[in-house]
């Protein structure tokens, strides 16, 4: 991954060349998050309701709507600093659409239309705040991380952050251009989101890597004290608002889930006869589909990671390969033979059930478990409750609850005991569910 960057000077010397001097970066304070607003259905604003001089209105509108943080030119590479005009308030938390409008013009706009404009303003304002944080990731963390991370390690942690930066830079640029050209009273916004919807698919790559990247980052912090010092030092910088690096890495995942909510708020405040209604409805549908695709891609990726991990620790020799196309991990946990108390470990997949025994010592090939018996295809498995009557009095509901159940495979009955009542219920539910799926829809 290659990101064009502006080099910043270093001045603090230590064994790893830790840079604590900082440089020129965009100051983003912790209030850069616009508050949500309700958005009821509203009628279309009629131009005849503006009882003021049109030329004067236009002049005031231009002056009041200069809230852009970017130039009009399309940016082909990630920018490092988003210049903020002097007349834009730094306190974005308190800024609303109505606070940027001329008072005389605001009075001429119906209250229903104001709600719609507030919803559109929130989409743009939160996009601006989000993009600032994306650039912060690059400026503050990615730039100097090469002193502590190899390029492969940077690729794991930062993934395709450069694709996200390009995508959202272009999206915000078009939204702010529309906002500025229309004097802060935006007639349509759905068409802009539809234009950039395809590029939002790059979030699939980032989100699917997030879980692994988080684990890798934590492991790296524990192993490399200078890398940890670097991250803690960066956290003290004003633009980081005392937030840890992991907070910023989570933002893209949160942002892609928020687009449907923001678009639905705009849709709810846009009358059906409004020219933007159909566009916003289409944009909402696309945003939901993208989110579903991202979730499915993430689920598949994490399943593959889990399957690879299990293949390394379960000795499947002589019974076939564990990680095969279409096989999905469902759950696992400690189980016991009901009579002997022999400790087992169950692994449930969407097509087979594996009962394994933990090895007492590490296998020379790295295995931690050996099969108790051959994998059981779920289409030939049934599960039965095992009810036992105890003659001993019990004063505890949990202690008297039977934790046993039976697994029947090819007429062979295995009496099993779960480690807790919760675990038993979970095993029974998942086994019955996936056995039914395999038996009735193999």
């Amino acid at each position: 991954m290659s990101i064009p960057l502006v080099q910043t000077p270093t001045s603090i010397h230590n064994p790893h060349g830790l840079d604590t001097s900082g440089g020129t970066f965009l100051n983003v304070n912790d209030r850069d998050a616009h508050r949500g607003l309700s958005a009821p259905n509203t009628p279309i604003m009629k131009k005849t309701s503006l009882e003021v001089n049109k030329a004067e209105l236009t002049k005031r509108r231009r002056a009041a709507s200069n809230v852009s943080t970017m130039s009009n030119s399309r940016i082909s590479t990630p920018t490092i600093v988003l210049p903020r005009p002097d007349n834009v308030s730094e306190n974005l938390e308190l800024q609303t659409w109505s606070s940027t409008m001329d008072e005389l013009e605001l009075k001429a706009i119906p209250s229903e239309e104001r709600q719609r404009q507030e919803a559109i303003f929130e989409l743009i304002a939160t996009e601006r705040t989000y993009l600032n944080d994306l650039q912060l990731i690059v400026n503050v963390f990615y730039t100097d991380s090469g002193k502590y991370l190899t390029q492969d390690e940077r690729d794991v942690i930062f993934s395709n952050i450069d694709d996200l930066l390009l995508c959202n830079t272009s999206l915000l640029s078009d939204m702010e251009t529309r906002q500025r050209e229309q004097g802060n009273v935006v007639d349509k916004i759905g068409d802009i989101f539809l234009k950039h919807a395809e590029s939002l698919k790059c979030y699939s790559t980032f989100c699917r890597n997030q879980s692994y990247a988080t684990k890798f980052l934590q492991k790296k912090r524990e192993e490399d004290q200078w890398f940890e010092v670097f991250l803690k030092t960066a956290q003290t910088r004003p633009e980081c608002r005392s937030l840890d690096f992991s907070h910023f890495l989570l933002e893209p995942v949160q942002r892609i889930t928020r687009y449907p909510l923001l678009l639905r708020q705009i849709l709810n405040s846009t009358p059906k006869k409004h020219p933007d209604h159909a566009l916003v409805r289409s944009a909402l549908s696309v945003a939901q589909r993208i989110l579903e695709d991202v979730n499915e891609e993430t689920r598949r990726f994490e399943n593959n990671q889990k399957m690879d991990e299990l293949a390394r620790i379960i000795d499947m020799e002589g019974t076939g390969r564990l990680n095969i196309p279409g096989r999905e991990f469902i759950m696992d946990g400690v189980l016991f033979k009901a009579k002997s108390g022999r400790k087992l470990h169950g692994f449930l997949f969407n097509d087979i059930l594996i009962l394994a025994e933990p090895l007492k010592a590490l296998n020379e090939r790295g295995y931690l478990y050996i099969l108790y018996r051959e994998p059981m295809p779920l289409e030939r498995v049934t599960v039965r409750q095992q009810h036992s009557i105890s003659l001993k009095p019990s004063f505890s509901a949990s202690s008297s609850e039977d934790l046993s159940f039976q697994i029947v495979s090819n007429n062979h009955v295995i009496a099993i005991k779960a480690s807790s009542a919760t675990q038993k219920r979970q095993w029974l539910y998942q086994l019955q569910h996936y056995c039914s799926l395999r038996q009735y829809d193999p």
Side-chain angles (χ1 to χ4, degrees):
M1 179 178 66
S2 175
I3 305 178
L5 301 169
V6 174
Q7 297 297 324
T8 57
T10 61
S11 62
I12 295 180
H13 302 281
N14 54 58
H16 284 250
L18 179 64
D19 178 11
T20 57
S21 63
T24 303
F25 295 92
L26 176 64
N27 287 327
V28 184
N29 59 50
D30 59 345
R31 299 181 296 273
D32 282 7
H34 186 67
R35 59 188 177 187
L37 296 168
S38 60
N41 290 322
T42 59
I44 302 174
M45 182 185 73
K46 297 182 179 180
K47 293 184 179 179
T48 55
S49 64
L50 302 179
E51 302 293 341
V52 293
N53 181 275
K54 181 177 273 188
E56 182 65 19
L57 256 185
T58 301
K59 181 178 179 181
R60 286 174 177 157
R61 180 182 292 179
R62 298 291 185 194
S65 64
N66 190 15
V67 295
S68 174
T69 63
M70 301 174 59
S71 64
N72 291 337
S73 60
R74 183 63 56 87
I75 301 175
S76 59
T77 57
T79 55
I80 298 306
V81 174
L82 283 177
R84 192 191 300 276
D86 294 337
N87 62 335
V88 177
S89 171
E90 291 286 341
N91 193 355
L92 296 181
E93 181 184 9
L94 302 178
Q95 193 176 52
T96 61
W97 169 79
S98 58
S99 68
T100 68
M101 297 296 294
D102 177 84
E103 184 176 353
L104 181 60
E105 181 179 10
L106 190 62
K107 290 181 179 179
I109 299 177
S111 60
E112 296 87 351
E113 178 63 17
R114 296 182 196 177
Q115 295 291 339
R116 174 178 141 77
Q117 292 301 322
E118 293 286 7
I120 294 173
F121 185 87
E122 181 179 4
L123 171 64
I124 300 174
T126 55
E127 185 71 16
R128 181 183 305 123
T129 300
Y130 168 62
L131 184 57
N132 285 340
D133 281 350
L134 280 186
Q135 292 184 317
L136 184 149
I137 293 174
V138 174
N139 288 341
V140 176
F141 297 103
Y142 184 88
T143 303
D144 291 332
S145 65
K147 300 174 183 178
Y148 316 94
L149 304 173
T150 66
Q151 187 56 50
D152 287 343
E153 290 174 329
R154 294 170 95 187
D155 290 343
V156 168
I157 294 175
F158 294 93
S159 189
N160 63 330
I161 194 72
D162 51 341
D163 293 335
L164 272 56
L165 188 55
L166 284 170
C167 166
N168 290 91
T169 295
S170 182
L171 173 61
L172 179 62
S173 177
D174 283 356
M175 288 196 296
E176 289 192 320
T177 298
R178 175 73 58 81
Q179 187 183 53
R180 183 172 53 255
E181 289 178 347
Q182 296 186 346
N184 212 26
V185 180
V186 180
D187 62 345
K188 291 187 298 183
I189 197 71
D191 58 326
I192 295 178
F193 193 89
L194 288 171
K195 173 184 174 183
H196 295 276
E198 186 70 21
S199 64
L200 289 172
K201 292 181 179 180
C202 64
Y203 276 79
S204 292
T205 300
F206 188 93
C207 293
R208 79 182 184 193
N209 292 331
Q210 181 64 26
S211 178
Y212 180 72
T214 300
K215 295 176 183 177
F216 180 83
L217 175 63
Q218 182 60 36
K219 185 172 182 290
K220 185 68 177 178
R221 297 177 75 154
E222 293 172 355
E223 295 176 347
D224 189 340
Q225 61 174 335
W226 285 108
F227 180 58
E228 174 68 6
V229 170
F230 161 66
L231 294 180
K232 289 296 184 182
T233 302
Q235 186 175 348
T236 64
R237 297 173 63 151
E239 59 266 48
C240 290
R241 292 113 63 192
S242 299
L243 297 172
D244 186 70
F245 176 45
S246 57
H247 166 86
F248 295 104
L249 278 186
L250 189 61
E251 285 199 32
V253 179
Q254 297 171 332
R255 187 60 184 176
I256 197 66
T257 64
R258 196 176 180 191
Y259 283 127
L261 302 176
L262 292 167
L263 289 169
R264 185 176 297 281
Q265 182 169 273
I266 297 174
L267 182 65
N268 289 341
S269 65
T270 304
K272 292 183 178 180
K273 293 183 180 181
H274 195 289
D276 199 28
H277 187 274
L279 293 171
V280 175
R281 184 176 57 193
S282 297
L284 173 59
S285 177
V286 170
Q288 290 174 328
R289 187 169 66 250
I290 291 173
L291 179 57
E292 290 171 0
D293 291 344
V294 167
N295 287 336
E296 178 60 22
E297 178 73 14
T298 301
R299 188 193 65 79
R300 286 200 302 264
F301 181 79
E302 291 181 349
N303 179 72
N304 289 336
Q305 294 288 109
K306 184 65 175 180
M307 293 299 297
D308 288 341
E309 176 190 343
L310 294 178
R312 289 193 296 269
I313 64 174
I314 303 176
D315 188 354
M316 297 284 292
E317 191 170 349
T319 60
R321 198 161 59 92
L322 180 63
N323 195 359
I324 62 174
R327 178 169 291 165
E328 297 181 3
F329 170 78
I330 306 301
M331 68 172 290
D332 72 312
V334 175
L335 295 170
F336 301 91
K337 290 295 297 296
K339 291 184 178 180
S340 66
R342 187 177 180 178
K343 187 176 182 180
L344 302 175
H345 200 98
F347 298 91
L348 177 62
F349 303 88
N350 64 334
D351 62 335
I352 61 172
L353 170 66
I354 291 178
L355 293 179
E357 291 184 88
L359 293 172
K360 296 180 180 179
L362 182 65
N363 185 282
E364 60 181 7
R365 299 179 62 181
Y367 295 125
L368 302 179
Y369 299 93
I370 188 171
L371 295 181
Y372 171 69
R373 59 165 297 160
E374 289 188 358
M376 295 172 274
L378 295 186
E379 57 266 27
R380 296 199 292 270
V381 170
T382 56
V383 186
R384 298 192 305 217
Q385 286 268 27
Q386 183 168 318
H387 300 285
S388 61
I389 301 177
S390 176
L391 300 179
K392 296 181 180 181
S394 174
F395 301 98
S396 170
S398 60
S399 63
S400 64
E401 187 168 356
D402 189 1
L403 303 180
S404 303
F405 59 96
Q406 294 178 336
I407 297 173
V408 184
S409 176
N410 292 331
N411 297 322
H412 182 74
V413 180
I414 307 174
I416 296 294
K417 181 178 289 186
S419 57
S420 68
T422 301
Q423 278 285 299
K424 177 185 175 179
R425 288 191 292 270
Q426 188 175 3
W427 275 109
L428 287 175
Y429 173 79
Q430 298 289 16
L431 278 168
Q432 290 169 350
H433 175 71
Y434 284 96
C435 285
S436 298
L437 289 179
R438 297 295 296 184
Q439 291 164 7
Y440 295 103
D441 187 23

